[in-house]
Amino acid sequence: LTDPSGTALPAVHVGYGVTLGSIAMKTDDAGRFALVRNLMTPAKVKLELPGHPDLVLIAGQEDVAWGSHDVRLVARRRADSSLRLHCIDAETGAPVTQFGATCWRDPWVNRKVGSSGVGQYALVAPTEHPDGTVLLEGLSPGAAFVSVFPGASYAEFAEHAIVLDEGRMHTLQVALRRPVTCTVRTIDATTGVALAGIDVVLAKVLPVADHARFDRATPRIDLTQGRVVSTCSSGTNVLELARGITGADGTARRATAPSSRSPWRRRRWCAAP
């Protein structure tokens, strides 16, 4: 594995994708690597650099046949992207100046293009931004999620999908809205009697297209502590936005509570593929 000038790239993981994650080996000081075939993989594979969002393969990675020797890969450094967030009040258009923000790489989309893992995560601490604008620099290009966490007067803007082009400055205007309340009433399906003590959750499923695949029986891997599990790059991720318990009348009323916390500190779990 070398860069376009022929310089060896040491300590880089080279591998190939399998059903759950990838199998990889690290290059030595001379950029050399050796891979062992998984019995379930096809006769030819596409090589990738899992865990290295800053590198992109430009030669040698396609249709590599098992039994091949002296395979030569060439990788280049990706040019960073940047993102300017401008937050406004959705009703008045006035700047919203008190907020925090995050941007993290979409592991599901990026895995499909040969870049595994959650990778880079950018955080803007909640503070005052005089003109409602903040600049996130040094971002890896590719699919990502952007969140904005305003003060108590506004609902959070949770995990908006965006694609960051390599070497480009992006601008995203975020229109923040006032919090709304969701009222859920639970009853016995047979008798119609209100049910108290029922746990009610409002959640967002990612990727959004997978929402129909999720049900109560879906296996769950808890990510509340911020752990990153390899299966989550091919499974479904669920972020809890609000949670409540029904009262004596069977009703739970919950707002999408404003929060300045990172989404990885929110209640989050991964549904197995």
Side-chain angles (χ1 to χ4, degrees), residues 35-100:
L35 291 170
V36 177
R37 181 183 184 183
N38 181 292
L39 295 178
M40 302 300 291
T41 58
K44 293 183 178 181
V45 293
K46 178 182 178 179
L47 298 183
E48 57 187 47
L49 306 178
H52 297 279
D54 57 322
L55 294 174
V56 56
L57 286 168
I58 57 175
Q61 73 273 22
E62 301 287 349
D63 295 328
V64 178
W66 291 108
S68 300
H69 296 282
D70 199 27
V71 174
R72 296 182 179 271
L73 304 179
V74 180
R76 65 171 176 82
R77 299 282 177 184
R78 295 181 189 266
D80 289 340
S81 302
S82 55
L83 174 64
R84 186 183 304 278
L85 295 176
H86 180 54
C87 296
I88 62 171
D89 184 298
E91 296 180 1
T92 67
V96 176
T97 60
Q98 181 72 34
F99 62 90

Side-chain angles (χ1 to χ4, degrees), residues 159-213:
E159 308 209 350
H160 172 77
I162 188 173
V163 176
L164 301 173
D165 296 327
E166 185 174 359
R168 179 184 167 192
M169 162 73 80
H170 295 260
T171 299
L172 177 64
Q173 180 170 278
V174 179
L176 296 171
R177 301 181 182 279
R178 303 295 177 177
V180 296
T181 300
C182 177
T183 301
V184 178
R185 186 167 186 265
T186 59
I187 62 171
D188 185 295
T190 302
T191 66
V193 175
L195 297 175
I198 302 298
D199 192 14
V200 178
V201 177
L202 177 66
K204 186 170 186 175
V205 176
L206 301 171
V208 175
D210 284 355
H211 74 278
R213 297 172 52 191

Side-chain angles (χ1 to χ4, degrees), residues 4 6-7 27 33 42 49 55 81 84 90 107-108 158 175 177 189 199 206 216 244-245 255 262 267:
T7 302
T27 57
F33 64 94
L49 306 178
L55 294 174
S81 302
R84 186 183 304 278
W108 302 277
R177 301 181 182 279
D199 192 14
L206 301 171
R216 289 176 297 174
I245 304 294
S262 148
R267 177 72 178 177

